[in-house]
Amino acid sequence: MPMVSMRQLLDEAAQGGYGVGAFNVHNMEQIQAIMEAARATSSPVIIQASRGARSYTNDRFLYHLMMAATELYPEIPVALHQDHGNSPETCKSAIDLGFTSVMMDGSLEEDGKTPASFEYNVAVTREVVEAAHARGVTVEGELGTLGGIEDGVGSGEVHLTDPDQAVEFVAATGIDALAVAIGTSHGAYKFSRKPDGEVLAMSLIEEIHQRLPETHLVMHGSSSVPRELVDEINRYGGQMKESWGVPVEEIQRGIQHGVRKINVDTDSRLAITGAIRKHLAEHPSDFDPRDYLKPARAAMQQVIEARMTAFGQAGHAGDYEPIPLEEMRERYRTGALA
Ligand code: G3H
Ligand code: 13P
Ligand code: ZN
């Protein structure tokens, strides 16, 4: 099956009332782990690459690994997505490379750090929507900035997504999916206690979904940071601090209220690192990378399968045929997807 647009995956997910995990990759073993998990659970899936991942893999390696994935797993609908594009140029280069979806993260300026103005965000996102939809490619935008409520951002300010602004932003940009800031942050240290309504604003998702029932919502920073994965790392020489991630039940609550894309990277990294540490600690004389990369890949697959099942995408791989990007382009042009 050729790669499909993320818009199609998310429209199908909305119809079926489930969420789709968007898993970050930067090497072959991670792509294999995700595709094996998708096959084992019969799941459609989003594979995403950050700018850092694109530079680490060199775009060409990444692209051809993804081509191999579609060739070897023809029954799996898979979208290739640019995660956190920092500029229209980054997004356009991804489209040129063959990505079927891009995120223009105009919530931050091009440095990827400084919170941007609403006007800047609208302008760069609108520019990407025009370029992407003309090629049938999906666009995700972001409003509000990640960074936990506990961390604050900059001077302690918190930039949760404002529902009124969200309505204005979607109307002004024409995006397909909206990433909302509800108090999560990237990485392994999200919360210093199990998150409750004070640090994880799930109610905001409900409000935004009521106001924008047709817009697919995206949760970033959605790793659950399972205690057992952190313990495994520390048992074999790691030094990770105690922390809490986003409980799977909270993500499931989000899925009931319009969350269709759930971004997970850290949980894969934890699974891989724990398995490699364990293997090397138990087999100190091993030096063939395959000896520790195989259990690492299997550990990541196990986490991804669990997420696919919890998000509800399992069992849906065979529900539909891919719509070619040319046809998506036509649907955008005629307003059929507005
Ligand atoms: O957006 C965050 C993802 O976890 C990617 O992280 O920039 O280290 O590849 P990265
Ligand atoms: P995690 O660090 O929680 O896995 O979040 C990943 C993410 O949001 C990528 O965009
Ligand atoms: Zn993110």
Side-chain angles (χ1 to χ4, degrees):
M1 182 182 298
M3 279 193 273
V4 304
S5 72
M6 190 169 86
R7 174 66 188 260
Q8 186 186 7
L9 283 187
L10 300 185
D11 283 351
E12 289 285 345
Q15 229 170 23
Y18 58 91
V20 183
F23 303 107
N24 287 73
V25 298
H26 59 249
N27 65 37
M28 178 184 75
E29 284 77 9
Q30 291 179 313
I31 295 176
Q32 291 174 324
I34 295 167
M35 295 311 291
E36 279 296 307
R39 173 166 284 166
T41 58
S42 187
S43 297
V45 69
I46 300 161
I47 292 188
Q48 60 187 8
S50 66
R51 273 193 304 144
R54 281 180 60 190
S55 109
Y56 176 80
T57 53
N58 180 314
D59 284 344
R60 302 307 301 164
F61 277 114
L62 177 69
Y63 179 73
H64 287 286
L65 285 170
M66 286 305 300
M67 286 291 100
T70 57
E71 192 182 308
L72 294 170
Y73 299 83
E75 79 282 18
I76 303 297
V78 50
L80 177 59
H81 175 77
Q82 165 79 58
D83 191 25
H84 292 284
N86 64 324
S87 65
E89 288 64 41
T90 297
C91 294
K92 288 174 192 172
S93 72
I95 296 168
D96 287 342
L97 189 66
F99 281 57
T100 60
S101 179
V102 292
M103 174 188 194
M104 176 64 237
D105 184 358
S107 70
L108 300 173
E109 290 181 5
E110 200 168 335
D111 64 7
K113 294 191 181 86
T114 315
S117 70
F118 181 75
E119 293 70 29
Y120 168 89
N121 195 355
V122 168
V124 289
T125 306
R126 179 75 220 160
E127 181 182 340
V128 171
V129 166
E130 279 165 17
H133 287 182
R135 314 254 309 254
V137 170
T138 312
V139 181
E140 171 186 340
E142 174 163 331
L143 191 61
T145 47
L146 293 192
I149 292 175
E150 288 179 321
D151 314 337
V153 175
S155 58
E157 264 177 277
V158 174
H159 298 272
L160 296 188
T161 307
D162 174 78
D164 289 330
Q165 266 197 348
V167 173
E168 197 183 334
F169 185 70
V170 169
T173 57
I175 49 171
D176 302 279
L178 175 69
V180 289
I182 54 162
T184 66
S185 52
H186 291 129
Y189 304 107
K190 300 183 195 300
F191 307 109
S192 57
R193 60 186 158 95
K194 191 166 191 277
D196 56 23
E198 272 178 39
V199 290
L200 185 60
M202 293 305 296
S203 55
L204 200 51
I205 292 212
E206 297 175 21
E207 198 181 336
I208 295 169
H209 180 53
Q210 272 177 6
R211 305 279 300 276
L212 290 166
E214 305 296 329
T215 303
H216 302 306
L217 302 181
V218 183
M219 274 177 70
H220 280 249
S222 293
S223 277
S224 302
V225 194
R227 175 67 52 92
E228 62 275 16
L229 293 185
V230 174
D231 286 350
E232 180 96 327
I233 289 174
N234 288 342
R235 192 175 307 125
Y236 295 101
Q239 294 188 359
M240 293 196 63
K241 288 177 289 178
E242 186 172 54
S243 136
W244 274 261
V246 183
V248 168
E249 315 83 73
E250 295 296 335
I251 297 171
Q252 288 171 327
R253 183 174 152 201
I255 292 168
Q256 284 167 12
H257 297 282
V259 170
R260 297 293 159 232
K261 173 174 184 270
I262 303 107
N263 283 17
V264 173
D265 186 353
T266 297
D267 284 353
S268 304
R269 296 178 179 192
L270 294 174
I272 288 170
T273 300
I276 291 177
R277 279 193 174 280
K278 178 175 194 288
H279 183 91
L280 290 178
E282 289 176 348
H283 307 87
S285 58
D286 274 4
F287 61 91
D288 182 339
R290 288 170 295 188
D291 292 339
Y292 52 86
L293 290 178
K294 268 191 213 166
R297 185 172 61 188
M300 174 167 164
Q301 182 184 334
Q302 200 184 343
V303 172
I304 303 289
E305 279 186 32
R307 296 294 174 276
M308 287 172 161
T309 304
F311 299 163
Q313 72 209 80
H316 289 285
D319 289 359
Y320 48 94
E321 287 298 314
I323 302 170
L325 289 190
E326 299 72 42
E327 171 61 21
M328 292 301 290
R329 181 185 62 196
E330 209 42 30
R331 293 188 189 187
Y332 284 120
R333 198 184 61 75
T334 58
L337 294 172

